[in-house]
Amino acid sequence: MPKNSKVVKRELDDEVIESVKDLLSNEDSADDAFKKSELIVDVQEEKDIDVEEESEVEDERPAWNSKLQYILAQVGFSVGLGNVWRFPYLCQKNGGGAYLLPYLVLLLVIGIPLFFLELSVGQRIRRGSIGVWNYISPKLGGIGFASCVVCFFVALYYNVIIGWSLFYFSQSFQQPLPWDQCPLVKNASHTFVEPECEKSSATTYYWYREALNISSSISESGGLNWKMTVCLLAAWVVVCLAMIKGIQSSGKIMYFSSLFPYVVLICFLIRALLLNGSIDGIRHMFTPKLEMMLEPKVWREAATQVFFALGLGFGGVIAFSSYNKRDNNCHFDAVLVSFINFFTSVLATLVVFAVLGFKANVINEKCIAENSKMIVKFLRMGNISQDIIPHHINLSAVTAEDYHLVYDIIQKVKEEEFPALHLNSCQIEDELNKAVQGTGLAFIAFTEAMTHFPASPFWSVMFFLMLVNLGLGSMFGTIEGIITPVVDTFKVRKEILTVICCLLAFCIGLIFVQRSGNYFVTMFDDYSATLPLLIVVILENIAVSFVYGIDKFMEDLKDMLGFAPNRYYYYMWKYISPLMLLSLLIASVVNMGLSPPGYNAWIEDKASEEFLSYPTWGMVVCILLMVLAILPVPAVFVIRRCNLIDNSSGNLASVTYKRGRVLKEPVNLEGDDASLIHGKIPSEMSSPNFGKNIYRKQSGSPTLDTAPNGRYGIGYLMADMPDMPESDL
């Protein structure tokens, strides 16, 4: 709000007075003395009025029912599928337990400071991402629009993954599980195992052929997969119903969607620890490879995981925090949610590798049994002498230790002939070293492990219901990152916007449920979010630290929280975080340039994956995804810089609303020296609600039934108060 000015209001009926100029033009010049006497308000009264106004505005904005509901919403948004199927893979790939150190360091340097920054600006300005960054600097208002575009792109394919989980969930209510065995094919003469399944595995075949019915390349659409189309529709219906009333509806669902995954993870961990081989998996997982900490790639991947794990730049964090009270301790929230996210990732890693350790043990036992039979066969044929086999070893019921002993003896004795025997060492570490992530972990490796569980359908139902809830928690935050800023800015009805958004997303999302849809999911995952979100968060950091001013922002936080945040955040926001983010952006661009753009296609004849490059049109789509996501930033900057939209003609900075009425006011946010705390935000300026004692009458003046502008209606008066301290304006 412009400096040294104050907007006051008295609501008498439903009439709206369009602008301050219109109102003042109705004043008679002879009323100057009257106006002066009416508008001289002392500092204490003004403060009381501010309190009444602020509380009224807060009452009008939806709020969380409790602090627990808010924390669960933020946890549900930040803890998603990546914690279960991305973090364990990175941990295994980048040094096991040693990977936790760079992850923790980067969580403290990038994660918590930037998460705290988004929470605080959302809580103070009480608007979605568009309103927040438009308030901080109108020229950088495109940051909020870019966040909305990225949220929409991510929501398109993220809900497809929820649809896949719903499909597997629906197929889990049968014994045996449909992916337990390879299907048999019958012809006129005999029955045989499906060749594609025999060459791969039952779970791999079920995923690619039965679930996705995948084509051989992205260019072969193959038509819609009706099963996945129905599941996608069901996923969007669930999201729409949960979000249609905003946090009033989604907040209640958070109690289940955020807490249920922890119940499942703990149950899985307890069950897995009672199975053979689980300790081997956990030991393999957390055995530190300290030498890998010196590799730059490890730090780059850790920084990327921290960045996306907390949902930075999406706008969901800002949207959720905008429904908080202004005196909420968002610093505590930032630290709490960040560490809950970290410990959830560690818990998920324990569960994944305990289960994979059990699976590796089962496969290893089969390997030992098969190779023991081969050794017995060689002994009967005379290829191997019986004398070299220790007498205490019974090859018909051999243990893993005894088998490895026999294997080593045969390898030494048959040094030259050994390769021709085709014996396998059957080491459990070889199976655990097969790194899998993403859909390969959830729908193939983990699914295969559960087929060996006692009561496997129960565990399958629990696992895929957990994936659905993890996905929904993140989807709620993603959709809130679209709905809240658009509703705040354009004042459309939330219910209508939610339905339109979900319906549009479902229609566009049909490209992901073609037979080639999985390849489009890969494309969107690789190109629609990574670089645009990095640029968005860098601009957020710059907007607060250098455009708005880090010193002013620290003062705002002190006034809002009731205590001064540690100076650690000052140096992080001003120096360290921007440098780290720029380094991460450069490293990501270099890595993207060095990695050939392509995807892993499933080749039916070979029953295996093969890397294929995107066709020319696919490359164009990849580039368009990145350009469209970041385009709002320069577009809004140019529009504001060149004054293509007049500030007084109803642009986003100057149009605010109250109860469906548009109130226009000439606003110059750029020239506002007032801080976020001491200045009035747009929502407050457009619809102030002052106490009845706002108009102080001259002694001896008659009682008036109208506002000082001489009309019944909502009157606005702008008064200069040179004697009032700036902090009270």
Side-chain angles (χ1 to χ4, degrees):
M1 176 177 175
K3 190 174 178 180
N4 295 327
S5 62
K6 182 70 183 177
V7 178
V8 295
K9 171 195 93 168
R10 184 177 182 183
E11 185 172 335
L12 298 176
D13 59 20
D14 289 334
E15 182 181 359
V16 179
I17 294 182
E18 291 288 326
S19 68
V20 174
K21 290 182 178 180
D22 290 341
L23 185 148
L24 293 179
S25 66
N26 293 324
E27 294 292 337
D28 186 54
S29 58
D31 290 339
D32 287 344
F34 174 76
K35 284 189 289 185
K36 289 179 182 178
S37 65
E38 293 288 304
L39 292 172
I40 298 175
V41 185
D42 62 39
V43 173
Q44 185 59 45
E45 286 179 351
E46 186 68 22
K47 288 183 178 178
D48 294 339
I49 290 164
D50 288 346
V51 172
E52 292 177 14
E53 173 190 354
E54 190 166 298
S55 63
E56 179 67 22
V57 173
E58 288 187 1
D59 288 341
E60 292 176 359
R61 188 169 182 80
W64 298 103
N65 291 337
S66 66
K67 181 66 175 282
L68 176 61
Q69 190 181 83
Y70 165 68
I71 293 296
L72 290 177
Q74 291 286 15
V75 169
F77 176 52
S78 66
V79 174
L81 297 172
N83 296 75
V84 174
W85 68 29
R86 178 70 178 165
F87 187 89
Y89 162 76
L90 291 174
C91 202
Q92 177 196 21
K93 176 186 173 185
N94 295 317
Y99 174 76
L100 299 180
L101 181 59
Y103 186 89
L104 269 175
V105 169
L106 291 165
L107 181 66
L108 295 173
V109 173
I110 293 179
I112 294 178
L114 294 176
F115 193 59
F116 179 31
L117 184 146
E118 289 199 355
L119 287 179
S120 53
V121 295
Q123 179 175 306
R124 178 59 193 99
I125 301 177
R126 295 175 63 77
R127 284 292 176 268
S129 55
I130 295 176
V132 162
W133 302 113
N134 188 62
Y135 181 88
I136 295 289
S137 172
K139 288 189 177 68
L140 294 178
I143 296 175
F145 289 99
S147 293
C148 290
V149 173
V150 173
C151 279
F152 187 72
F153 284 161
V154 171
L156 287 176
Y157 73 86
Y158 203 87
N159 222 24
V160 175
I161 301 174
I162 298 177
W164 294 342
S165 303
L166 283 173
F167 173 76
Y168 269 79
F169 172 74
S170 67
Q171 298 299 306
S172 298
F173 294 92
Q174 47 189 306
Q175 175 71 30
L177 292 168
W179 48 83
D180 187 30
Q181 300 291 335
C182 283
L184 298 177
V185 180
K186 296 181 180 179
N187 59 17
S189 58
H190 63 283
T191 302
F192 57 92
V193 177
E194 171 64 49
E196 186 181 1
C197 184
E198 192 174 23
K199 293 177 185 177
S200 53
S201 68
T203 50
T204 304
Y205 172 81
Y206 191 87
W207 166 243
Y208 284 115
R209 190 55 52 212
E210 296 292 335
L212 300 181
N213 193 20
I214 200 165
S215 62
S216 297
S217 73
I218 196 172
S219 300
E220 303 173 23
S221 71
L224 290 178
N225 180 341
W226 69 267
K227 292 181 289 188
M228 289 306 167
T229 303
V230 171
C231 291
L232 179 63
L233 177 61
W236 276 114
V237 168
V238 170
V239 170
C240 184
L241 293 177
M243 298 297 300
I244 198 162
K245 292 293 185 182
I247 62 170
Q248 275 76 22
S249 54
S250 64
K252 296 178 177 63
I253 300 174
M254 293 296 179
Y255 288 108
F256 179 77
S257 65
S258 297
L259 294 176
F260 180 74
Y262 291 96
V263 175
V264 176
L265 285 173
I266 293 170
C267 290
F268 260 100
L269 181 61
I270 295 172
R271 184 67 190 93
L273 289 175
L274 299 175
L275 298 171
N276 292 331
S278 59
I279 301 301
D280 295 326
I282 294 174
R283 186 186 303 116
H284 174 81
M285 179 69 258
F286 288 102
T287 301
K289 303 178 184 70
L290 298 175
E291 67 279 1
M292 295 193 69
M293 289 178 57
L294 301 177
E295 297 182 14
K297 183 182 72 170
V298 173
W299 290 82
R300 177 181 63 80
E301 293 190 340
T304 305
Q305 178 63 16
V306 167
F307 184 85
F308 288 107
L310 294 174
L312 299 174
F314 280 97
V317 173
I318 293 175
F320 280 151
S321 66
S322 72
Y323 299 111
N324 270 332
K325 295 180 179 178
R326 286 195 180 91
D327 59 352
N328 174 62
N329 189 349
C330 56
H331 175 256
F332 172 80
D333 300 341
V335 175
L336 177 65
V337 173
S338 298
F339 278 100
I340 287 177
N341 187 291
F342 171 69
F343 287 118
T344 303
S345 298
V346 174
L347 174 62
T349 302
L350 283 170
V351 171
V352 166
F353 276 89
V355 173
L356 292 183
F358 163 70
K359 170 178 171 269
N361 185 71
V362 171
I363 294 174
N364 200 53
E365 287 178 353
K366 290 181 179 178
C367 175
I368 290 173
E370 291 173 0
N371 282 268
S372 297
K373 290 179 182 179
M374 291 176 63
I375 294 174
V376 171
K377 181 181 176 182
F378 292 141
L379 288 171
R380 290 174 181 170
M381 294 173 60
N383 293 350
I384 299 175
S385 172
Q386 183 70 47
D387 297 335
I388 66 173
I389 306 298
H391 298 294
H392 69 278
I393 294 178
N394 180 10
L395 289 173
S396 60
V398 67
T399 63
E401 291 77 12
D402 289 344
Y403 172 78
H404 294 141
L405 177 61
V406 172
Y407 179 86
D408 292 338
I409 292 173
I410 295 174
Q411 188 176 28
K412 290 177 182 177
V413 174
K414 298 286 184 178
E415 194 170 342
E416 295 180 359
E417 303 172 12
F418 184 78
L421 298 177
H422 301 292
L423 292 176
N424 196 313
S425 62
C426 297
Q427 296 287 344
I428 196 170
E429 287 78 13
D430 295 338
E431 188 64 30
L432 288 170
N433 282 329
K434 294 178 182 178
V436 287
Q437 64 166 324
T439 55
L441 174 63
F443 298 108
I444 298 177
F446 211 90
T447 305
E448 181 180 348
M450 287 187 296
T451 60
H452 302 292
F453 277 29
S456 55
F458 168 77
W459 293 104
S460 183
V461 167
M462 294 285 283
F463 176 70
F464 289 111
L465 187 57
M466 178 190 74
L467 290 188
V468 169
N469 279 276
L470 283 172
L472 286 176
S474 297
M475 273 299 295
F476 293 157
T478 303
I479 297 298
E480 199 67 57
I482 302 171
I483 301 297
T484 296
V486 173
V487 169
D488 287 343
T489 305
F490 300 104
K491 300 306 168 186
V492 296
R493 284 191 61 184
K494 179 167 286 189
E495 296 86 348
I496 296 175
L497 178 62
T498 303
V499 172
I500 292 175
C501 180
C502 292
L503 186 60
L504 178 63
F506 169 73
C507 294
I508 298 175
L510 291 177
I511 66 172
F512 301 109
V513 290
Q514 303 174 95
R515 290 183 60 198
S516 60
N518 188 46
Y519 307 137
F520 285 97
V521 171
T522 302
M523 175 191 288
F524 271 66
D525 191 36
D526 290 341
Y527 293 97
S528 69
T530 307
L531 291 183
L533 278 181
L534 275 171
I535 294 171
V536 163
V537 176
I538 290 171
L539 291 175
E540 287 181 359
N541 199 162
I542 291 173
V544 170
S545 299
F546 301 101
V547 178
Y548 180 74
I550 189 64
D551 295 306
K552 196 190 301 182
F553 187 63
M554 294 295 286
E555 285 298 317
D556 293 345
L557 290 176
K558 180 179 179 181
D559 198 11
M560 183 170 70
L561 299 176
F563 63 89
N566 195 292
R567 292 291 289 180
Y568 167 82
Y569 292 104
Y570 178 92
Y571 296 108
M572 289 295 107
W573 287 328
K574 190 168 185 178
Y575 303 110
I576 307 300
S577 293
L579 291 176
M580 292 290 291
L581 288 171
L582 284 172
S583 302
L584 180 57
L585 177 63
I586 294 170
S588 298
V589 170
V590 171
N591 181 65
M592 189 174 289
L594 295 177
S595 303
Y599 59 100
N600 289 319
W602 179 257
I603 310 301
E604 184 176 356
D605 296 335
K606 300 178 181 178
S608 62
E609 289 185 336
E610 182 178 312
F611 184 82
L612 299 178
S613 297
Y614 286 117
T616 304
W617 64 265
M619 291 296 300
V620 172
V621 172
C622 293
I623 295 171
L624 277 177
L625 287 174
M626 292 185 287
V627 171
L628 289 175
I630 208 64
L631 184 62
V633 175
V636 172
F637 181 85
V638 170
I639 289 171
R640 293 275 167 77
R641 183 70 178 83
C642 300
N643 293 321
L644 299 181
I645 296 180
D646 185 14
N647 278 348
S648 62
S649 63
N651 66 352
L652 295 179
S654 63
V655 178
T656 51
Y657 304 79
K658 181 174 175 65
R659 295 189 182 92
R661 309 183 183 95
V662 182
L663 308 173
K664 296 182 181 179
E665 42 186 301
V667 180
N668 183 15
L669 293 176
E670 237 183 322
D672 186 8
D673 289 346
S675 67
L676 290 179
I677 298 302
H678 298 141
K680 298 300 173 218
I681 65 174
S683 65
E684 295 173 22
M685 293 188 293
S686 63
S687 55
N689 188 6
F690 286 77
K692 295 180 180 178
N693 60 346
I694 181 61
Y695 298 112
R696 189 167 59 178
K697 296 180 284 294
Q698 264 181 321
S699 57
S701 63
T703 302
L704 297 177
D705 293 327
T706 63
N709 60 352
R711 293 188 185 184
Y712 293 98
I714 301 175
Y716 289 83
L717 293 175
M718 190 73 70
D720 291 330
M721 302 178 186
D723 58 334
M724 182 175 292
E726 181 181 351
S727 61
D728 292 324
L729 288 177

